[in-house]
Amino acid sequence: MMGYLSMGNLLKVLTCTDLEQGPNFFLDFENAQPTESEKEIYNQVNVVLKDAEGILEDLQSYRGAGHEIREAIQHPTDERLQEKAWGAVVPLVGKLKKFYEFSQRLEAALRGLLGALTSTPYSPTQHLEREQALAKQFAEILHFTLRFDELKMTNPAIQNDFSYYRRTLSRMRINNVPAEGENEVNNELANRMSLFYAEATPMLKTLSDATTKFVSENKNLPIENTTDCLSTMASVCRVMLETPEYRSRFTNEQTVSFCLRVMVGVIILYDHVHPVGAFAKTSKIDMKGCIKVLKDQPPNSVEGLLNALRYTTKHLNDETTSKQIKSMLQ
């Protein structure tokens, strides 16, 4: 008999006897609404999240100025082509600046959520159960992050455009040419943006740095409060995906890909934040189970997520990772 609790509460479905794997319950990613006590953080995070779709659309339509840049480099004395390339690159750098600034806002939102979801006296499970709307926002941040990084990874124009912008700008400075694009991005910001875009997965790196920083700044909070929150989230996603009666409750087929991305996102965060990572025997994440869930999906739909586990985790290639897990990710 399933007890349906009030909206935004968890549908407590499985009471898990196997404590190793952590608690199993249904997280209502589709309908969770904030309770009174969640509202303040929820509203702060919501202001950031409502811009996420627009950022992804801008990134998806980012075409780059490769053609104009090539022409300008091939004909260095043709002033018209130099101006054309500069004119094409400056608005693109404005977009790149906007993406970078959004990563900073997202980082602040994540830290607010971590503060709420790890505070004493509740356990991570109790937090995720009591604060479903915040858990859902945390999931939405991860979902956005993986989508952003998937798009960025397949778009080499971003780094080419930005390095052309920087080279041209320093040449203009040397020649004392006023550059109308310069007020957009000063040197210090350009350095930070360069580091950001040099990462294969810049948003994920931002989140994992933010989580690590959160742990180190909150000395009085055991690191387990944070890592258990992540491993519980991974368990919940895995169980919801592998249990037919949960899966059948998703009213929107997008929820499956949402759960898959969130599961992979929390695994990667856990792997960066936890001292021994997600792949060791002592890890609280059932990695074999999670990889199996991914492998059970249509292959073309999860290759990007399997690659994220292969290339953006920290401990996969450690000695402590079992051969079986390594071979599953071959």
Side-chain angles (χ1 to χ4, degrees):
M1 163 65 192
M2 288 182 201
Y4 285 84
L5 305 175
S6 64
M7 179 92 152
N9 261 3
L10 279 173
L11 303 169
K12 189 76 173 180
V13 189
L14 295 178
T15 49
C16 189
T17 47
D18 180 5
L19 287 175
E20 284 307 289
Q21 295 317 325
N24 297 325
F25 45 68
F26 187 84
L27 243 175
D28 193 353
F29 282 142
E30 291 178 338
N31 310 306
Q33 296 299 321
T35 55
E36 215 34 64
S37 61
E38 294 170 89
K39 280 231 169 88
E40 189 186 345
I41 298 275
Y42 182 89
N43 292 339
Q44 287 166 12
V45 175
N46 215 29
V47 170
V48 179
L49 278 173
K50 70 177 199 321
D51 294 337
E53 259 331 292
I55 294 282
L56 290 172
E57 281 161 21
D58 277 356
L59 178 56
Q60 197 142 24
S61 62
Y62 187 101
R63 287 292 163 267
H67 173 70
E68 291 86 345
I69 291 171
R70 271 193 305 279
E71 291 284 292
I73 290 171
Q74 279 160 6
H75 308 96
T77 53
D78 186 329
E79 270 314 303
R80 192 184 59 83
L81 287 176
Q82 306 309 310
E83 279 173 21
K84 194 173 171 200
W86 182 247
V89 161
V90 168
L92 289 170
V93 168
K95 276 190 172 182
L96 294 179
K97 177 187 175 190
K98 189 171 109 180
F99 300 159
Y100 172 72
E101 285 171 343
F102 187 75
S103 78
Q104 303 303 289
R105 292 174 60 206
L106 201 65
E107 178 181 349
L110 177 76
R111 292 170 68 139
L113 283 176
L114 284 172
L117 290 171
T118 58
S119 60
T120 44
Y122 300 115
S123 72
T125 315
Q126 288 168 321
H127 272 298
L128 293 175
E129 276 199 74
R130 294 166 59 93
E131 287 139 21
Q132 289 243 332
L134 297 186
K136 177 178 175 223
Q137 285 184 320
F138 184 38
E140 281 169 349
I141 288 179
L142 288 163
H143 185 240
F144 163 82
T145 296
L146 271 90
R147 285 164 70 205
F148 182 95
D149 287 346
E150 278 164 22
L151 288 169
K152 185 266 173 188
M153 265 178 168
T154 51
N155 195 338
I158 290 176
Q159 278 177 278
N160 296 341
D161 293 348
F162 196 62
S163 56
Y164 177 80
Y165 170 82
R166 298 202 75 184
R167 288 198 307 275
T168 309
L169 202 53
S170 61
R171 209 168 46 241
M172 288 171 158
R173 284 204 188 103
I174 292 163
N175 302 329
N176 287 322
V177 178
E180 73 282 5
E182 189 180 359
N183 55 5
E184 275 294 309
V185 176
N186 64 27
N187 211 23
E188 190 258 341
L189 177 58
N191 286 335
R192 283 187 293 146
M193 283 171 64
S194 276
L195 289 171
F196 178 76
Y197 288 112
E199 291 291 337
T201 51
M203 283 289 171
L204 206 54
K205 176 85 167 78
T206 302
L207 292 197
S208 70
D209 287 354
T211 310
T212 306
K213 197 169 167 195
F214 171 82
V215 167
S216 66
E217 282 174 1
N218 292 278
K219 294 269 186 284
N220 56 340
L221 196 69
I223 184 169
E224 290 73 34
N225 285 32
T226 304
T227 53
D228 288 357
C229 173
L230 299 173
S231 56
T232 304
M233 201 95 159
S235 282
V236 170
C237 291
R238 175 180 56 76
V239 170
M240 286 180 4
L241 287 160
E242 66 190 11
T243 314
E245 58 273 29
Y246 287 177
R247 246 183 119 137
S248 63
R249 292 205 203 158
F250 296 154
T251 50
N252 179 343
E253 64 249 34
Q254 296 298 312
T255 306
V256 170
S257 71
F258 181 87
C259 276
L260 289 164
R261 277 207 180 89
V262 172
M263 180 180 79
V264 168
V266 282
I267 288 169
I268 295 167
L269 272 189
Y270 182 97
D271 196 49
H272 281 265
V273 176
H274 194 283
V276 295
F279 297 96
K281 285 205 170 41
T282 52
S283 156
K284 290 193 179 170
I285 295 179
D286 170 12
M287 283 308 303
K288 289 178 195 140
C290 291
I291 297 168
K292 186 177 175 309
V293 166
L294 284 167
K295 293 269 177 99
D296 288 344
Q297 311 305 315
N300 55 345
S301 67
V302 290
E303 202 43 44
L305 294 177
L306 288 166
N307 281 339
L309 288 179
R310 287 174 189 129
Y311 307 122
T312 63
T313 46
K314 189 174 172 182
H315 296 282
L316 174 61
N317 297 315
D318 289 6
E319 295 290 292
T320 47
T321 302
S322 78
K323 289 191 175 60
Q324 192 187 354
I325 288 178
K326 284 180 181 165
S327 72
M328 285 175 88
L329 282 174
Q330 287 296 298

